[in-house]
Amino acid sequence: MNVSKRDVDLINGPILQSLLIFMVPLLISNIFQQLYNTCDTMIVGNILGDVSLAAIGSCTSIYDLLVGFALGIGNGLAIVTARSFGSGDETLLKKSVASSLVIGIVSSIVISILGSLILYPLLQVLDTPANIIDEAYSYISLIVVFIVAMFGYNLCAAMMRAIGNSFIPLVFLIVSSLLNIGLDLLFIGNFNMGIRGAAIATVIAQGVSVILCIIYILRRVPILIPKKEHFVYDKDLYKELVTQGFSMGFMSSIVSVASVILQYGINNLGYLIIAGHTAARKLYMFFNLPFTSMGLAVSTFVSQNKGANNVERIKKGIKVAYLYDVILAGVVTIILWFGARSLVQWISGSDESVVLDDATLYLRVVGPFYAVLGILMQTRYALQGIGQKMLPLISSCIELVGKIIFVLVFIPMFGYLAVIFCEPVIWCFMCVQLIYSFYTNDYIRGH
């Protein structure tokens, strides 16, 4: 099968080396992708103040709910493509790309329409403070209308990763991220467009990244360009793509619903706590990127080796990923223990003690639990890579139920302290379920 010289061979050779070479561009890509929202947060917080910062924070979980489903579908579709690549079947690969395009475009349009209808009522249901609800709506409503741009980039990037190319999506993401920063400063700082200016900047930058990906694929990656005959309806293939894609989409949605529920509990604690939690979560997401990136690498690694029927290599790869998680979590814990407060102040631009103290405590507590979260993610991605659809969903349901319990019982009793310990406790239960599911799986256990 003809592939680019930039593709990483995940089926042969040293496992750790292959995973790291494939993972590093993913990590850098995720860092720059995180810049889309982090730069919005920093610029809004420093120029517009705590109220506008809280407005972004109060709608983040809703935004994640809407886009998570679309992005989950994209990653799920790419798993099938990676499996086709691993098996060496170029015709099946192109058919999977063609079918993925159809499923992806239809799904993103539906999500955009549905999101536009429910955004404001959902903000009201979540008891978003009256002084920030209009700003929050003005920010996410525009992004959701153009969610097809975000989905388009992630689908193109996922397809390139499926064949082992994680470098080129990074290049285009860096360009669009730098554009996003420049437009943020222009629209908010110079044109005084307020929080909506940040949304416009994000949409334009995402659109540019999609255009660059499409041009590159058309010119340099013929293996990903389907022809007319590849769009012919294949019932079995569509079934596999829809079930794989929508299982990951629903998993992301359940996780996001759980975050929306948790946000409800946080919104009742006041806007300063919302602002502090917003800054803390931005930093949490940043330090989570090396673990998420390894998860994406594991997903492609397992999918390709499943296609090649190389089970022993899958088992060895998972053990390598686990060791990576534990070592990296130790490093992150040390950084957060000594640097959390300074980082929070830098991100938020706030001098309020409530904002700084709560966010610092959150990060120091979460730090050691990155090891658990990392192992959780690697195992979940591995299960999806071997074709499991329901077991990862169960872990998401555990998270949903856990957050409902915390919002109803523990947050009213212990306030923000319960918010801090909510996810680490839930991660432990999820991790046990996923590890058990992986190592008792018939495919893994039978070899």
Side-chain angles (χ1 to χ4, degrees), residues 178-253:
L178 293 175
L179 177 62
N180 185 53
I181 295 171
L183 292 176
D184 270 340
L185 293 171
L186 181 65
F187 293 158
I188 298 175
N190 292 1
F191 293 169
N192 299 315
M193 296 174 67
I195 198 171
R196 193 167 180 82
I200 296 172
T202 298
V203 169
I204 293 174
Q206 289 169 350
V208 169
S209 67
V210 176
I211 294 171
L212 291 174
C213 281
I214 292 174
I215 292 174
Y216 180 82
I217 290 174
L218 289 174
R219 291 185 176 182
R220 298 293 181 86
V221 196
I223 194 175
L224 291 180
I225 303 175
K227 298 179 180 178
K228 183 178 180 180
E229 62 266 22
H230 296 127
F231 283 91
V232 175
Y233 178 72
D234 183 325
K235 180 179 178 180
D236 292 335
L237 179 59
Y238 263 84
K239 180 179 179 181
E240 175 64 16
L241 286 165
V242 169
T243 54
Q244 185 72 63
F246 276 74
S247 67
M248 289 191 71
F250 283 126
M251 184 194 74
S252 298
S253 294

Side-chain angles (χ1 to χ4, degrees), residues 399-418:
E399 181 172 359
L400 175 62
V401 172
K403 287 185 176 178
I404 291 174
I405 293 172
F406 265 83
V407 168
L408 294 178
V409 179
F410 296 113
I411 293 178
M413 292 174 60
F414 301 105
Y416 191 66
L417 190 63

Side-chain angles (χ1 to χ4, degrees), residues 320-335:
V320 168
Y322 286 172
L323 180 61
Y324 165 93
D325 292 328
V326 173
I327 294 173
L328 186 59
V331 175
V332 171
T333 299
I334 294 172
I335 294 173

Side-chain angles (χ1 to χ4, degrees), residues 238-362:
Y238 263 84
K239 180 179 179 181
E240 175 64 16
L241 286 165
V242 169
T243 54
Q244 185 72 63
F246 276 74
S247 67
M248 289 191 71
F250 283 126
M251 184 194 74
S252 298
S253 294
I254 292 171
V255 171
S256 297
V257 167
S259 297
V260 170
I261 291 171
L262 182 60
Q263 188 67 51
Y264 173 81
I266 296 169
N267 284 350
N268 289 322
L269 300 177
Y271 84 92
L272 285 177
I273 290 180
I274 296 174
H277 186 71
T278 300
R281 289 294 290 185
K282 294 299 180 185
L283 288 165
Y284 153 78
M285 291 299 296
F286 177 80
F287 284 102
N288 188 37
L289 294 179
F291 302 94
T292 303
S293 301
M294 179 55 76
L296 292 171
V298 165
S299 175
T300 303
F301 174 87
V302 172
S303 298
Q304 287 192 8
N305 281 280
K306 173 64 162 57
N309 199 29
N310 196 342
V311 183
E312 289 304 317
R313 187 172 174 84
I314 292 175
K315 293 179 182 178
K316 292 177 182 178
I318 293 300
K319 291 178 181 178
V320 168
Y322 286 172
L323 180 61
Y324 165 93
D325 292 328
V326 173
I327 294 173
L328 186 59
V331 175
V332 171
T333 299
I334 294 172
I335 294 173
L336 290 178
W337 184 263
F338 291 103
R341 189 176 184 88
S342 297
L343 290 170
V344 169
Q345 191 165 28
W346 177 59
I347 287 287
S348 67
S350 177
D351 293 320
E352 292 282 351
S353 60
V354 172
V355 173
L356 299 178
D357 292 345
D358 284 350
T360 299
L361 180 60
Y362 175 92

Side-chain angles (χ1 to χ4, degrees), residues 111-127:
I111 293 168
S112 179
I113 295 172
L114 180 62
S116 299
L117 294 175
I118 69 171
L119 280 177
Y120 201 88
L122 190 52
L123 285 169
Q124 293 175 314
V125 169
L126 292 174
D127 283 346

Side-chain angles (χ1 to χ4, degrees), residues 255 281 284-285 288 362 365-377 380 395 398-399 402-403 406 419-435:
V255 171
R281 289 294 290 185
Y284 153 78
M285 291 299 296
N288 188 37
Y362 175 92
V365 170
V366 167
F369 287 94
Y370 274 114
V372 179
L373 179 59
I375 292 172
L376 182 162
M377 285 192 292
R380 175 187 277 168
S395 71
I398 292 173
E399 181 172 359
K403 287 185 176 178
F406 265 83
V419 175
I420 293 173
F421 281 95
C422 175
E423 289 178 318
V425 171
I426 294 170
W427 292 339
C428 293
F429 285 97
M430 295 168 66
C431 198
V432 170
Q433 180 263 332
L434 286 166
I435 291 175

